[in-house]
Amino acid sequence: MNLNFLIGFPRTGSTWLYYNLVSNNVFVPEIKEIKFFDKNYKKGIDWYLKQFKGNKDCFDLSITYSLRKEALILLKKHFPQSKIILFIREPKERDISACTYRYANGLIELDEIKNLILSPKKNIENLNTNELWGTAGKYYSDHIKNIYEIFDTDQIVFYHYDDIKNNPERLLRSIFKECGIKKKLTNFKFVKSKINQRRKKRINPLFTKLIHGPFAETFKKLPFYGKLREIYREIFAEKGNLDLKFNYDENEKIAEIYSNEIKFISNLNYKKP
C-alpha cells in the first residue's frame, strides 16, 4: 500500500486536498481525519489498515498529527518511508482562521479568541486544546522542529498554502508526483474551489457539546452522519458576531508575537509546484 500523510496544519487546505484526491480515485477513509496515531491508537494497527480497504494509493489526512510529538513518533514507527506533506499558511492568518472557525462551530467564545491571539508563547507542553489547535501558527517552529527530528529530510514536503489559490492544478500534480501516485489526473471539478469555509452563522454551543461529547461516537455511526450533521447545524444555528477586529496597539503586539514564526517559515525548503 502506498500510504501518504498530510499532517499539518488545521485550516491550511486539508479539505481541498480531500475532495481532489477522492475525485481522482485516491483513497481516503470515509472519516476524513481518522486520527489513529493521536486518538485511536489503542484500536490497533490492524484496525487502522482496514480503514483503507486494500486500496493501493491512499492518504491519511489527520492534520492534528503535527500537533502531537508522540503521534509523529508512532507514525514513523509504523510507516518509516511514507511521504509527509505539510501546507504552510501565514501564521497569524492561520490562527485567526482557526479561532474564528472554532467560534463559528460553538467551541469557544469570541472574547477567548483575542486572548489566544494576543497571549505570548508558552511551553508547548502546557497548551490546552484551544491553544494547541487555535494557535498552531504561533508554534510552527516547535512543531516543525519535532517533525525534522523524527522524519528524514527527504520524506518531508512543504507547500505554500497560497499555491492552492495561485497554482492549484500544478500543486495537485506535484503532490501526486512526490507521493508516487501514478494515476492520471482527470477530474479538476474541485481544484479551484474554496472548500470548508467558515460558516456565516454560529452553531449553538449546547449542540456542539452534544455532538462532541459522550455521544460523539454514537452520532458518527449513524447512517449519512455527515449530511445529518449539516442539517442539525443549520437547525441549531444562531446569529453570531464573526467579525474580529484588532486596534493599532493590538496589531503591533501581534506583529511582535508572530515575527519569529514568520521568519522561521520563510526559511523552509518549499516545493514549487
Side-chain angles (χ1 to χ4, degrees):
M1 178 172 63
N2 176 26
L3 178 58
N4 302 280
F5 296 85
L6 177 73
I7 65 167
F9 287 86
R11 304 302 295 163
T12 63
S14 64
T15 307
W16 175 87
L17 184 58
Y18 169 81
Y19 277 97
N20 282 288
L21 290 172
V22 171
S23 64
N24 283 283
N25 301 311
V26 176
F27 186 82
V28 181
E30 187 175 346
I31 299 175
K32 179 172 75 77
E33 294 182 42
I34 198 166
K35 298 185 178 181
F36 175 66
F37 293 107
D38 56 349
K39 289 191 175 181
N40 293 308
Y41 191 68
K42 290 182 180 180
K43 293 182 178 181
I45 192 66
D46 290 338
W47 173 88
Y48 178 65
L49 293 175
K50 285 179 182 177
Q51 308 310 304
F52 298 96
K53 301 180 180 180
N55 285 275
K56 180 183 177 182
D57 293 312
C58 305
F59 252 92
D60 182 342
L61 303 179
S62 302
I63 47 178
T64 52
Y65 292 162
S66 59
L67 309 180
R68 305 281 187 186
K69 187 175 182 179
E70 58 271 23
L72 298 173
I73 292 170
L74 291 172
L75 193 164
K76 176 68 174 179
K77 173 185 174 182
H78 290 283
F79 299 96
Q81 302 302 321
S82 289
K83 282 291 183 180
I84 306 298
I85 308 292
L86 295 102
F87 292 153
I88 305 298
R89 185 176 183 177
E90 196 280 334
K92 182 192 73 173
E93 177 186 286
R94 193 229 70 92
D95 286 359
I96 290 175
S97 174
C99 287
T100 52
Y101 184 85
R102 288 180 75 77
Y103 170 75
N105 282 279
L107 293 165
I108 60 175
E109 296 303 320
L110 199 62
D111 59 349
E112 293 180 76
I113 297 177
K114 280 199 171 185
N115 290 335
L116 286 169
I117 301 298
L118 290 165
S119 62
K121 283 187 69 170
K122 301 179 180 178
N123 185 320
I124 197 168
E125 302 296 330
N126 299 328
L127 301 181
N128 61 38
T129 300
N130 278 333
E131 290 170 328
L132 194 64
W133 205 96
T135 60
K138 193 185 295 184
Y139 296 88
Y140 269 155
S141 57
D142 300 87
H143 296 308
I144 292 172
K145 285 173 183 176
N146 285 338
I147 292 166
Y148 271 127
E149 179 185 325
I150 294 164
F151 297 96
D152 298 334
T153 303
D154 60 359
Q155 285 182 268
I156 307 165
V157 185
F158 294 104
Y159 288 103
H160 277 290
Y161 171 82
D162 289 347
D163 284 327
I164 295 175
K165 178 181 178 181
N166 298 331
N167 303 297
E169 187 175 324
R170 293 202 325 234
L171 171 59
L172 197 58
R173 291 186 186 280
S174 178
I175 291 170
F176 270 49
K177 183 178 179 180
E178 285 296 318
C179 295
I181 299 171
K182 297 181 180 179
K183 288 184 171 72
K184 188 175 180 180
L185 275 166
T186 57
N187 190 335
F188 297 100
K189 178 180 178 182
F190 299 106
V191 78
K192 293 184 179 180
S193 301
K194 291 185 71 174
I195 300 171
N196 199 23
Q197 297 180 69
R198 189 192 69 195
R199 59 186 64 252
K200 294 180 180 180
K201 291 183 179 180
R202 190 188 190 211
I203 299 170
N204 188 297
L206 292 177
F207 173 69
T208 298
K209 287 180 180 179
L210 180 64
I211 63 170
H212 288 277
F215 302 106
E217 292 303 317
T218 303
F219 273 112
K220 288 177 182 178
K221 291 176 183 177
L222 292 173
F224 310 111
Y225 163 74
K227 290 183 179 179
L228 283 172
R229 184 179 63 175
E230 288 306 309
I231 292 170
Y232 293 150
R233 280 177 166 178
E234 289 302 315
I235 292 172
F236 288 95
E238 61 182 19
K239 290 184 178 180
N241 177 19
L242 300 180
D243 293 324
L244 186 66
K245 296 179 180 179
F246 296 95
N247 62 37
Y248 177 84
D249 289 338
E250 289 171 336
N251 279 317
E252 288 290 299
K253 185 175 181 180
I254 290 169
E256 181 180 352
I257 290 170
Y258 283 87
S259 61
N260 288 336
E261 299 307 310
I262 292 170
K263 183 178 180 180
F264 177 84
I265 64 169
S266 69
N267 292 317
L268 294 175
N269 185 21
Y270 291 95
K271 185 74 178 180
K272 292 183 179 180

